[in-house]
Structure formats: structure tokens, C-alpha cells
């Protein structure tokens, strides 16, 4: 049993966690191996916030340092992702039920996707906490609240009207998925995946190995197709900072 009550917060996109770093009180910055870890308080809750950088290796190294040096008892990862599931739209939020590394392949020695020696392909998030968090995110995304938080031109531009909060599988790999071919290949192999990103399953594996519960929250910034790079860039600059800040502020009370 871990006696600490410190929560670790990681994000792959600086825009998203900058909002939360700016809201911390009594902040102390520690630099370790190219990352700045910000210890501080969100209300009464002690947290450590860090920008993981992009990709599975960067995220795994960052979360391992966070767990070893800062004694955190739970991990939240927040970021954006490309939607690939049916009816997963830009502006929706996916809360991970489980996560898989779609580029892990030691076949024919092991089944495709299985992480050797661990013998697992899917890593679970903390189910109870993830489900509880969904209700809070739904409230943030209610149309009235969203209109207060985000410029109406941006909501129109991304066709965000009634965003959904979904619970399901997240697929992670070291690729920005931005062609219809990549997207179709991925969906054919993992038809249950709701979205694709580059860090979550690595964080979930490290947390599993340390025995620490984790939650992964992804806002859909693009549809992992030929329009992805344009949609991703402007979504990150214009919308995701607000999503990130509001979601983290709200869910921290539940943790
Ligand atoms: N802006 C960065 C690159 C970002 S890569 C640069 O210029 O270096 C995309 C980031 O958003 C990753 O953190 C990934 O987890 C997430 N993401 C969003 N859409 C994605 C997609 N379609 N495919 C893969 N990752 C995606």
C-alpha cells in the first residue's frame, strides 16, 4: 500500500498542462533528465505536474522518474488523440478503459500486441476512478458551459456542438496517424479502439509494473486521417488548453 497522497499529472502537449501549472500554488520546479517536474497544490491537493514530451519512450521515462522520485500514489495522463472509432468526433473526450501498444509485435514468438514477459496486450486504467471522472467531464462539456469556456468561432470551426465522453480502448504507438490507409489498417486490426495517440499505453504499462493506478484522458483533436495535421495543430493552439485546465481542475477533487 502506498502511503503518499500525491497525484502525478502528465501531459504530452505543453499547451494542456501549462494551464494547470499556472494554477498551482507553492510551486517548486525540479529538473531531472530534460524534464521539469512542478510540485505544488491544486486547492488542498498536492500534485506533481510534468510535460512528458512525445512518444512512448519519452512518456515511459517521465512516468518512471515521477514514480521513483516523487512518491506519487496515482497518475493522470492528459492529452489529445486522433479519433478512429465510429462516431468519435473532434471535441469528444475519451477516458481509457484499457490501452494497447499497437506497434508491439514479437510474433511469431508471442501473439501480436502482447508485451513479452508481461504476457499482456491490454493494460487497464483504474476503472472506478475513470468512470467517476466521466460524469465530471460530461458536466464540463455541456453546451452551456462549453459556450462560456470556448470562443464560439472555435466551436464552429471544429463543428463542436454536443461533445461526448466515451469509455473504451486507446491504441498507442510511435506514429502520428494521418493517412486514411494508416487509419483503416489500425481499425481493421483493432476494431474496438476509439482513438490513437503516442503515449498512453506506455504510461499504463509502467504504472502496471509499479502497481500504481492510472487514468488516461484524451480529447479528440483530429480524425487520424488526411486532415489530421491541420486539425491537430489548430485544436491544440485554440481549444485543448481550456479542456486540459478545466478537466484537471475538476477531476482532482475525486482522486
Ligand atoms: N507538435 C509536435 C508533434 C505532436 S505529435 C511536434 O511538432 O513535434 C501528436 C501528439 O498528439 C502526440 O502527443 C499524440 O499522443 C497526440 N495525437 C493527436 N492526434 C494524433 C494522431 N492522429 N496520431 C497519433 N497521435 C496523435
Amino acid at each position: 500500500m502506498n502511503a503518499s497522497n500525491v497525484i502525478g499529472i502528465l501531459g504530452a502537449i505543453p499547451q494542456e498542462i501549462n494551464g494547470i501549472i499556472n494554477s498551482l500554488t507553492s510551486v517548486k520546479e525540479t529538473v531531472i533528465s530534460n524534464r521539469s517536474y512542478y510540485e505544488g497544490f491544486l486547492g488542498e491537493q498536492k500534485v506533481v505536474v510534468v510535460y512528458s514530451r512525445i512518444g512512448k519512450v519519452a512518456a515511459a521515462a517521465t512516468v518512471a522518474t515521477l514514480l521513483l522520485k516523487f512518491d506519487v500514489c496515482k497518475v493522470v495522463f492528459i492529452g489529445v488523440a486522433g479519433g478512429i472509432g465510429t462516431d468519435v468526433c473532434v471535441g469528444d473526450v475519451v477516458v481509457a478503459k484499457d490501452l494497447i501498444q499497437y506497434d508491439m509485435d514479437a510474433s511469431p514468438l508471442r501473439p501480436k500486441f502482447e508485451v513479452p514477459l508481461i504476457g499482456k496486450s491490454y493494460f487497464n486504467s483504474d476503472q472506478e476512478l475513470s468512470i467517476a471522472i466521466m460524469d465530471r467531464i460530461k458536466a464540463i462539456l455541456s453546451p452551456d458551459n462549453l459556450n462560456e469556456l470556448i470562443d464560439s468561432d472555435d466551436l464552429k470551426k471544429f463543428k463542436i456542438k454536443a461533445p461526448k465522453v466515451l469509455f473504451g480502448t486507446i491504441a498507442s504507438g510511435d506514429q502520428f496517424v494521418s493517412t486514411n490507409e494508416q487509419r483503416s489498417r489500425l481499425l481493421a486490426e483493432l476494431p474496438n479502439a476509439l482513438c490513437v495517440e503516442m503515449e498512453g499505453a506506455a504510461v499504463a504499462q509502467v504504472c502496471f509494473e509499479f502497481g500504481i493506478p492510472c487514468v488516461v484522458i484524451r480529447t479528440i483533436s483530429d480524425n487520424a486521417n488526411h486532415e489530421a495535421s491541420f486539425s491537430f495543430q489548430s485544436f491544440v493552439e485554440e481549444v485543448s488548453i481550456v479542456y486540459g485546465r478545466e478537466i484537471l481542475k475538476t477531476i482532482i477533487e475525486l482522486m
Side-chain angles (χ1 to χ4, degrees):
M1 219 24 212
N2 190 314
S4 137
N5 67 349
V6 182
I7 293 170
I9 300 174
L10 299 106
I13 303 292
Q15 284 88 335
E16 252 169 345
I17 54 158
N18 283 348
I20 210 74
I21 292 170
N22 292 336
S23 327
L24 295 180
T25 54
S26 313
V27 190
K28 179 180 165 210
E29 179 184 354
T30 308
V31 179
I32 307 172
S33 311
N34 288 331
R35 307 285 190 278
S36 284
Y37 295 79
Y38 296 92
E39 287 173 86
F41 288 84
L42 277 177
E44 304 279 293
Q45 177 62 55
K46 178 152 189 205
V47 297
V48 186
V49 188
V50 56
Y51 166 46
S52 70
R53 300 195 178 188
I54 290 154
K56 291 189 294 149
V57 174
T62 313
V63 73
T65 307
L66 183 65
L67 294 174
L68 287 170
K69 300 275 187 188
F70 296 92
D71 193 28
V72 306
C73 65
K74 281 178 196 158
V75 166
V76 185
F77 191 101
I78 189 149
V80 290
I84 58 172
T86 319
D87 202 27
V88 179
C89 307
V90 171
D92 291 351
V93 172
V94 174
V95 177
K97 174 176 183 291
D98 51 23
L99 303 102
I100 185 166
Q101 296 171 44
Y102 70 80
D103 53 1
M104 171 58 74
D105 187 1
S107 61
L109 304 173
R110 301 275 167 198
K112 192 166 185 187
F113 307 126
E114 184 179 300
V115 178
L117 303 181
I118 296 184
K120 281 168 78 74
S121 305
Y122 289 89
F123 292 88
N124 278 345
S125 65
D126 182 316
Q127 306 286 287
E128 210 176 305
L129 193 53
S130 299
I131 289 168
I133 277 169
M134 289 177 65
D135 279 338
R136 297 293 179 107
I137 303 178
K138 274 181 200 152
I140 297 173
L141 300 188
S142 72
D144 285 351
N145 198 45
L146 212 56
N147 281 321
E148 298 254 308
L149 292 172
I150 296 173
D151 193 84
S152 60
D153 289 343
D154 288 332
L155 291 175
K156 258 193 222 131
K157 175 172 160 188
F158 295 103
K159 301 193 180 74
I160 303 175
K161 282 195 190 124
K164 304 179 286 302
V165 184
L166 306 158
F167 186 57
T169 297
I170 294 183
S172 311
D174 286 320
Q175 265 182 359
F176 183 73
V177 177
S178 59
T179 66
N180 296 338
E181 292 72 39
Q182 281 174 300
R183 185 182 197 277
S184 312
R185 214 178 310 130
L186 204 56
L187 262 183
E189 285 191 321
L190 293 169
N192 55 340
L194 296 180
C195 65
V196 59
E197 39 86 311
M198 301 173 69
E199 300 84 15
V203 170
Q205 180 183 334
V206 174
C207 287
F208 171 79
E209 299 206 51
F210 278 75
I212 295 288
C214 77
V215 168
V216 179
I217 303 164
R218 292 285 181 171
T219 303
I220 303 303
S221 56
D222 60 86
N223 282 116
N225 57 14
H226 59 289
E227 292 168 350
S229 49
F230 168 73
S231 176
F232 164 81
Q233 207 63 44
S234 43
F235 189 88
V236 162
E237 275 154 26
E238 290 144 35
V239 184
S240 57
I241 186 161
V242 182
Y243 266 71
R245 188 190 61 219
E246 294 302 314
I247 290 175
L248 284 170
K249 265 198 327 212
T250 316
I251 66 169
I252 216 77
E253 298 159 13
L254 288 177
M255 303 198 62

